[in-house]
Amino acid sequence: QVQLVESGGGLVQAGGSLRLSCAASGRSFSSYTMGWFRQAPGKEREFVATVSWSGDDTYYGESVKGRFTISRDNANNTVYLQMNSLKPEDTAVYYCVVGRGTVGPGTPGYWGQGTQVTVSS
């Protein structure tokens, strides 16, 4: 059974940092794109970042460029999201996604259950 489990969320003050992890199990995803989306209350799910199977190609949403960094460890079937200079607008549930090529809502893939990130002023 394929399972993605996010961890690392919590409460942090504005300007602080958090690192999210997503550990996949059930099969190897070394040849898949991995990424993160987030969803705030009352808003649609928003693209955050993706990383290619090799780890060499990364893409970021405009609102997080320069602050967030995505990386992966294929040996451990894990993707990370380092979040720096956090703002209250970053408050959301963060979801891990894995799939072939482009990933996101409406595309084939696997999703985690999400981890809550709350940034206070």
Side-chain angles (χ1 to χ4, degrees):
Q1 181 180 357
V2 172
Q3 186 175 19
L4 306 179
V5 180
E6 301 98 334
S7 62
L11 175 64
V12 65
Q13 294 288 330
S17 299
L18 286 173
R19 189 179 76 161
L20 305 183
S21 299
C22 173
S25 62
R27 64 170 296 173
S28 173
F29 289 100
S30 60
S31 63
Y32 288 67
T33 299
M34 307 184 79
W36 295 89
F37 283 72
R38 67 187 184 186
Q39 189 165 22
K43 300 181 67 177
E44 295 183 357
R45 194 162 295 189
E46 176 189 17
F47 170 72
V48 176
T50 55
V51 58
S52 66
W53 69 270
S54 67
D56 294 330
D57 299 321
T58 58
Y59 302 90
Y60 297 93
E62 189 67 29
S63 64
V64 306
K65 287 181 179 178
R67 300 188 299 120
F68 291 9
T69 302
I70 189 171
S71 61
R72 66 190 294 165
D73 180 356
N74 287 340
N76 291 308
N77 229 20
T78 301
V79 62
Y80 304 94
L81 185 69
Q82 178 67 45
M83 305 186 294
N84 298 327
S85 301
L86 284 162
K87 306 174 181 179
E89 66 188 77
D90 295 318
T91 296
V93 177
Y94 284 71
Y95 297 92
C96 175
V97 62
V98 181
R100 292 284 193 179
T102 301
V103 297
T107 66
Y110 300 93
W111 292 84
Q113 294 300 306
T115 185
Q116 177 71 47
V117 172
T118 302
V119 184
S120 62
S121 300

